[in-house]
Amino acid sequence: MAKHNLKAKSKDLFEKAKNVIPGGVNSPVRAFTPYPFFVEAAQGSKLLSVDGKTYLDYCMAYGALLLGHANKNVCYAVEEQLSKGTIYGAPTELEIKVASQISKILPCIEMLRTVNSGTEATMHALRVARGFTGRKKIVKFEGCFHGAHDSVLVSAGSGATTFGTPTSLGIPEETTRNTIVLPYNNIEALEKIVKQEGNEIAAVIIEPVMGNIGLILPKKEYLNSLRKLTREYGIVLIFDEIITGFRLSLGGAQEYYNIKPDMTTLGKVLGGGFPIAVFGGKKEIMRHISPVGKVYQAGTFNGNPVSLKAASTILQILNENGKEIYPKLEKNCQELKKALSDLASNHHLEAQVYSIASMFQIFFTPQPVHDYASAKHSDTQKFQAYFQELLRQGIFIPPSQFETCFVSVAHDEGDLKYTINAFDNALRLASTVNRNV
Ligand SMILES: Cc1ncc(COP(=O)(O)O)c(C=O)c1O
């Protein structure tokens, strides 16, 4: 990446952006104090800002990049597709190829549709589940984020927690009346509801590993019990694997935990930096979609050939090299997690550090974090000090306690070493912050 002399352009750009874009950003999580850096270019594990500063990136576009920025194979494949056209409004063989690649990796997905974002994928999955069962109610879990559409924007994680607006204005209460919100990792709460209202519930949607409230892992047997209960009551179980798909393992969380959901949503890693997401599942459910069925789902950019080409390339790379890639990612992530835990205790910080595969996060709280309520106990002032100091040292993690950090294939030994040293300084600083209650 080219070296520039340090400038202060981001600040000016942010001022200009605020005049034409709400809050100066196109997605709320990108805003942080005093102003976000604006990006000039990115390559591998690093981002270069317009100010000429290089950042080692553990945000990785909120988990969209498993191979790192601007992967050469993906870029070549996309360039080749660009010369053949960018959108056709008619089917291509590429659509069948990608659907088949996905079904092979995730056998629970017998049929799928491709859309452009995770938000669309979960929105349509829920509609199909409702159409299939003829039931209205859905269950989601506190702190899980399934995109910014009406029926799931209730007690949502990510920016909706960071900014203290768990329910957005502009959503009529009639829309969310059929959304039941339960605590994560609490099978008794689900059991109680399905006993009372099970035959009115169309779907249970869940992030099998929570990545939008920090990182929260499922308790042993929780997902199995969830599967058993939903099957018993004929409720469609939707695994929202927008983050965990192709990340926890090649076959995502469903492979990692050996659970077969009825429907799955995928996005982020799948596109290798291009906008694509899918929702899919059992044929008996997916056959309810128009034009063969009565559930309407459509989109001008569905099955976009450029995104599909990127997805097809990523899937091929992961399929051929997964046996080396996933253990290496896990090993590197473990190294960061161990360093964070050891350093936190060296600095006498009460903290919980979690990791799985290539995801990790620290919570500044003495108690284990297993759901939304326990995550909210975390000291966000300490987190801010930790974030700001890492940023100063040229390390970019998601700016909120209620997000997750991601390791990519592009992070090398030198990157890890630099990061661990930076963790030491950032945690030292965090340990000096006293919470204002
Ligand atoms: C689990 C999960 N589902 C759905 C979404 C929405 O995806 P998108 O931002 O592509 O609309 C996200 C986004 O972060 C997510 O983490």
Side-chain angles (χ1 to χ4, degrees):
M1 209 162 356
K3 288 245 184 280
H4 294 226
N5 291 328
L6 280 189
K7 297 174 241 130
K9 262 177 88 179
S10 290
K11 189 167 187 273
D12 295 345
L13 289 178
F14 190 53
E15 288 309 312
K16 282 186 188 150
K18 282 193 287 189
N19 283 325
V20 284
I21 301 166
V25 285
N26 268 309
S27 195
V29 290
R30 294 180 200 165
F32 57 82
T33 354
Y35 54 86
F37 62 86
F38 279 56
V39 177
E40 176 81 38
Q43 184 67 63
S45 60
K46 298 185 183 74
L47 286 161
L48 176 68
S49 78
V50 293
D51 312 305
K53 182 164 175 171
T54 300
Y55 293 91
L56 192 44
D57 186 10
Y58 290 97
C59 178
M60 282 287 150
Y62 292 87
L65 298 164
L66 189 73
L67 302 180
H69 290 280
N71 176 269
K72 287 208 166 41
N73 293 312
V74 175
C75 291
Y76 287 146
V78 164
E79 275 168 27
E80 189 188 75
Q81 177 57 42
L82 287 176
S83 65
K84 294 199 235 168
T86 55
I87 182 166
Y88 307 126
T92 62
E93 201 173 339
L94 203 46
E95 292 169 74
I96 310 168
K97 182 174 178 190
V98 170
S100 309
Q101 283 175 298
I102 292 174
S103 291
K104 213 164 160 197
I105 295 170
L106 295 122
C108 289
I109 303 185
E110 296 168 359
M111 266 187 176
L112 61 83
R113 273 267 165 95
T114 69
V115 290
N116 305 285
S117 68
T119 295
E120 284 175 77
T122 60
M123 182 176 78
H124 294 307
L126 286 166
R127 185 182 302 154
V128 176
R130 282 173 159 148
F132 169 69
T133 55
R135 302 172 181 176
K136 283 188 190 165
K137 295 185 180 172
I138 59 164
V139 171
K140 80 170 285 285
F141 299 91
E142 251 182 326
C144 280
F145 180 67
H146 303 293
H149 60 93
D150 290 3
S151 64
V152 289
L153 213 48
V154 188
S155 292
S158 189
T161 297
T162 313
F163 297 99
T165 49
T167 305
S168 167
L169 286 182
I171 300 178
E173 59 187 52
E174 291 84 344
T175 314
T176 51
R177 195 173 286 152
N178 288 311
T179 304
I180 301 165
V181 182
L182 296 177
Y184 180 81
N185 262 333
N186 183 337
I187 203 65
E188 292 75 27
L190 181 66
E191 208 161 10
K192 192 166 162 217
I193 280 290
V194 293
K195 276 189 181 146
Q196 285 165 2
E197 311 183 35
N199 46 22
E200 292 172 60
I201 299 171
V204 167
I205 186 165
I206 189 164
E207 287 182 75
V209 166
M210 288 174 88
N212 283 292
I213 190 74
L215 174 65
I216 300 183
L217 306 177
K219 285 183 183 163
K220 200 164 180 279
E221 288 307 312
Y222 174 63
L223 295 174
N224 266 320
S225 308
L226 187 74
R227 175 63 285 189
K228 229 174 119 223
L229 261 180
T230 46
R231 188 173 287 132
E232 209 177 304
Y233 286 84
I235 298 167
V236 176
L237 176 61
I238 305 173
F239 267 17
D240 180 356
E241 296 225 43
I242 301 287
I243 289 182
T244 53
F246 312 108
R247 180 172 287 280
L248 247 55
S249 68
L250 180 61
Q254 51 199 270
E255 181 182 83
Y256 194 98
Y257 292 106
N258 191 22
I259 311 241
K260 293 183 169 56
D262 302 305
M263 296 189 77
T264 303
T265 54
L266 300 163
K268 300 214 184 216
V269 170
L270 175 65
F274 287 81
I276 186 169
V278 310
F279 67 98
K282 291 182 175 163
K283 277 189 183 166
E284 60 173 309
I285 300 176
M286 294 299 285
R287 281 201 181 113
H288 285 260
I289 297 173
S290 178
V292 281
K294 291 188 176 159
V295 176
Y296 199 68
Q297 190 279 326
T300 303
F301 289 97
N302 286 1
N304 177 265
V306 180
S307 295
L308 280 169
K309 190 74 192 190
S312 171
T313 309
I314 283 278
L315 293 176
Q316 193 178 337
I317 293 172
L318 295 180
N319 219 357
E320 287 172 4
N321 305 288
K323 287 203 170 64
E324 294 90 61
I325 287 177
Y326 290 103
K328 183 183 160 208
L329 283 170
E330 180 140 25
K331 182 181 155 286
N332 287 349
C333 194
Q334 281 290 329
E335 192 175 328
L336 293 176
K337 178 204 174 177
K338 183 169 182 320
L340 262 182
S341 296
D342 292 350
L343 291 165
S345 96
N346 289 354
H347 292 296
H348 309 290
L349 277 161
E350 293 183 308
Q352 311 295 320
V353 186
Y354 298 99
S355 82
I356 186 167
S358 50
M359 302 164 71
F360 69 95
Q361 183 57 299
I362 184 168
F363 293 92
F364 295 97
T365 171
Q367 304 298 335
V369 176
H370 50 83
D371 60 8
Y372 178 82
S374 45
K376 290 282 284 175
H377 277 137
S378 186
D379 184 338
T380 51
Q381 286 158 15
K382 280 196 173 59
F383 186 88
Q384 264 316 299
Y386 162 77
F387 164 73
Q388 292 289 350
E389 176 57 19
L390 286 179
L391 197 68
R392 195 190 64 76
Q393 294 179 83
I395 296 203
F396 181 51
I397 62 167
S400 163
Q401 169 69 91
F402 306 115
E403 299 288 350
T404 293
C405 303
F406 298 98
V407 181
S408 83
V409 172
H411 290 92
D412 63 21
E413 269 306 313
D415 291 340
L416 299 190
K417 223 167 151 190
Y418 183 82
T419 306
I420 290 168
N421 192 44
F423 280 164
D424 193 13
N425 297 329
L427 291 172
R428 181 178 303 114
L429 196 82
S431 72
T432 65
V433 172
N434 287 319
R435 190 177 213 164
N436 300 324
V437 191

